């Protein structure tokens, strides 16, 4: 049974890398942002004033800015603003949303601070006639009051990362999971994804610990990683990180200590990519925040112009991609190609504009 599962993991990781290399090798045409084709648009989106609103300041959301700008240029959206003043407090985020609505913004792409309360905010916006999407995170539970959710399938991304880490560990040993806010529904899905990969080893890999609530800022993550490596570094064979700041901190910690720990990170911070190139860590799983903003902006513009979702509250996976030394120079091509596929799906499958 163990041999079969190891073969399955090997095949999964190898297939993921092969697909990335194949798709990324096809260069996509470029336009204003230097990486996406001009999708064109028959409808008039000029009346749409778009607000992209993360839960607060965080490096993950920075690609939303060029993604929104590219959508304005490509689709004729009337304007876009990026507002991160929510400070990871739902009440403050709601106040920021209300202020933007009062300023004439009429379409909202939101990463809700509270996955259990954000549906109330979505429902209020819809009741007032605004187009609203949940970007980068879906509400907790089975109900999404936004028109759609465009987000990473965080459980599958974490599973992919854990499978890759276990393979690098030789299929046995102690694995540590470093992640974000424990009450975030994304975090819970990631914990489940990592555990699923571990369960497939039939006991050959043990989850040594899961460290949550260390993604607020880099300093908190660095302290947590430093303490972990000082106390248990010799017992750890692998680390999988499923949140941005812990990924950077784990990369720094393992590189500086020289411990023989296999690391699979998340996202594509420059430090992480550099560490993959020089072999300090094994790889990372990148997400698609640029595509969330670009495609989400198009869909919000369409909704604001009279289109409707064929299935209200639809969840759409924005994509996740394993990056190793083998495909580090080409992975972004597949990510941009995925964004164009998502755009086509919204135009031809998800939206009814008749």
């Amino acid at each position: 049974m163990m041999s079969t599962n190891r073969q399955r993991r090997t095949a999964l990781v190898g297939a993921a890398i092969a697909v990335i290399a194949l798709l990324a090798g096809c260069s996509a045409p470029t336009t204003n942002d230097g990486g996406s084709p001009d999708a064109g648009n028959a409808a008039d989106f000029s009346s749409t004033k778009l607000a992209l609103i993360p839960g607060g300041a965080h490096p993950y959301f920075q690609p939303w800015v060029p993604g929104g700008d590219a959508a304005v240029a490509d689709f004729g959206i009337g304007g876009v603003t990026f507002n991160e003043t929510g400070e990871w407090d739902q009440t403050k985020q709601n106040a920021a949303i209300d202020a933007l609505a009062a300023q004439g913004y009429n379409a909202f792409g939101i990463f809700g601070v509270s996955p259990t309360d954000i549906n109330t905010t979505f429902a209020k916006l819809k009741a007032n006639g605004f187009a609203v999407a949940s970007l980068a995170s879906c509400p907790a539970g089975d109900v999404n009051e936004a028109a759609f959710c465009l987000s990473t399938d965080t459980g599958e991304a974490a599973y992919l990362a854990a499978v890759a880490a276990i393979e690098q560990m030789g299929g046995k040993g102690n694995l540590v999971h470093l992640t974000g806010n424990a009450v975030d529904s994304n975090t819970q899905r990631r914990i489940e994804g990592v555990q699923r990969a571990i369960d497939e080893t039939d006991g050959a890999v043990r989850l040594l610990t899961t460290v949550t609530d260390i993604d607020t800022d880099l300093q908190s993550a660095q302290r947590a990683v430093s303490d972990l490596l000082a106390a248990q570094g010799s017992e750890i064979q692998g680390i999988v990180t499923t949140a941005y700041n812990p990924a950077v901190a784990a990369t720094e910690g393992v590189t500086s200590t020289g411990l023989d720990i296999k690391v699979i990170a998340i996202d594509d911070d420059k430090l992480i990519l550099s560490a993959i190139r020089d072999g300090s860590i094994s790889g990372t799983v990148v997400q698609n925040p640029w595509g969330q903003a670009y495609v989400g902006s198009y869909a919000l513009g369409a909704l604001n112009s009279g289109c409707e979702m064929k299935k209200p509250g639809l969840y759409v996976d924005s994509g996740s991609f394993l990056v190793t030394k083998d495909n580090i120079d080409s992975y972004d091509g597949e990510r941009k190609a995925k964004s164009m596929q998502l755009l086509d799906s919204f135009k031809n499958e998800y939206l009814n504009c008749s």
Side-chain angles (χ1 to χ4, degrees):
M1 186 70 172
M2 175 60 202
S3 176
T4 300
N5 283 328
R6 285 192 61 185
Q7 289 171 356
R8 177 183 174 189
R9 289 195 301 272
T10 302
L12 176 61
V13 175
I17 294 172
V19 169
I20 289 170
L22 176 62
L23 292 179
C26 302
S27 59
T30 60
T31 62
N32 306 306
D33 75 318
S36 63
D38 184 350
N41 182 55
D44 182 5
F45 290 180
S46 61
S47 64
T48 296
K49 288 187 65 179
L50 174 67
L52 297 175
I53 307 173
H58 193 282
Y60 175 85
F61 298 107
Q62 292 310 304
W64 279 18
V65 176
D69 289 343
V72 168
D74 288 353
F75 309 130
I77 292 171
V80 63
T81 190
F82 176 76
N83 187 300
E84 56 184 6
T85 62
E87 298 181 9
W88 299 104
D89 180 288
Q90 191 60 63
T91 300
K92 292 181 179 179
Q93 187 184 49
N94 288 343
I97 293 168
D98 290 343
L100 289 166
Q103 295 168 32
Y105 288 91
N106 54 17
F108 296 85
I110 302 170
F111 178 100
V113 174
S114 171
T116 56
D117 298 330
I118 193 60
N119 266 330
T120 301
T121 303
F122 292 160
K124 177 183 175 182
L125 287 168
K126 287 198 316 183
N128 285 307
F130 299 121
V132 57
S134 186
L135 300 182
S137 178
C138 300
D142 298 325
V143 176
N144 174 26
E145 291 291 347
F148 62 90
C149 176
L150 180 59
S151 175
T152 308
D153 186 334
T154 52
E156 286 302 311
Y159 172 75
L160 177 63
V163 165
I166 289 168
E167 188 61 35
Q168 290 296 316
M169 292 162 57
K172 60 184 180 180
N174 293 324
L175 180 67
V176 169
H177 180 199
L178 307 178
T179 190
N181 191 340
V183 301
D184 187 344
S185 55
N186 278 334
T187 299
Q188 293 305 311
R189 296 182 187 107
R190 286 167 172 144
I191 289 172
E192 291 169 3
V194 170
Q195 188 61 56
R196 177 157 62 99
I198 291 171
D199 289 345
E200 290 179 357
T201 71
D202 294 330
V205 173
R206 181 170 73 100
L207 181 64
L208 189 62
T209 186
T210 298
V211 185
T212 63
D213 300 302
I214 57 170
D215 193 35
T216 304
D217 55 70
L218 182 57
Q219 291 72 29
S220 298
Q222 288 170 327
R223 286 193 296 271
V225 169
S226 177
D227 291 345
L228 173 72
L229 295 181
Q232 296 178 286
S234 62
E235 304 173 47
I236 301 169
Q237 282 70 54
I239 295 176
V240 59
T241 64
T242 59
Y244 193 104
N245 286 309
V248 174
T251 299
E252 291 176 332
V254 171
T255 300
S256 64
T257 60
L259 289 167
D260 185 18
I261 298 174
K262 307 302 182 184
V263 176
I264 296 292
I266 191 171
D267 298 323
D268 48 359
D269 183 89
K270 291 180 180 178
L271 177 72
I272 289 171
L273 295 180
S274 177
I276 294 172
R277 290 183 191 279
D278 68 23
S280 298
I281 68 171
S282 300
T284 190
V285 171
V286 301
Q287 303 176 81
N288 191 13
W290 184 92
Q292 290 164 359
Y294 183 74
V295 178
S297 295
Y298 169 82
L300 284 165
L303 291 168
N304 200 50
S305 300
C307 298
E308 297 179 347
M309 293 295 299
K310 292 180 180 178
K311 182 180 179 182
L314 178 69
Y315 165 71
V316 181
D317 181 10
S318 54
S320 52
F321 315 90
L322 178 64
V323 178
T324 69
K325 187 181 291 188
D326 292 336
N327 66 317
I328 194 168
D329 294 321
S330 59
Y331 74 90
D332 200 46
E334 188 200 7
R335 186 160 58 176
K336 290 294 173 62
K338 174 66 174 181
S339 297
M340 296 309 109
Q341 292 170 5
L342 290 167
L343 179 63
D344 184 70
S345 293
F346 270 94
K347 286 184 173 184
N348 298 309
E349 297 179 42
Y350 306 148
L351 287 164
N352 183 0
C353 298
S354 58

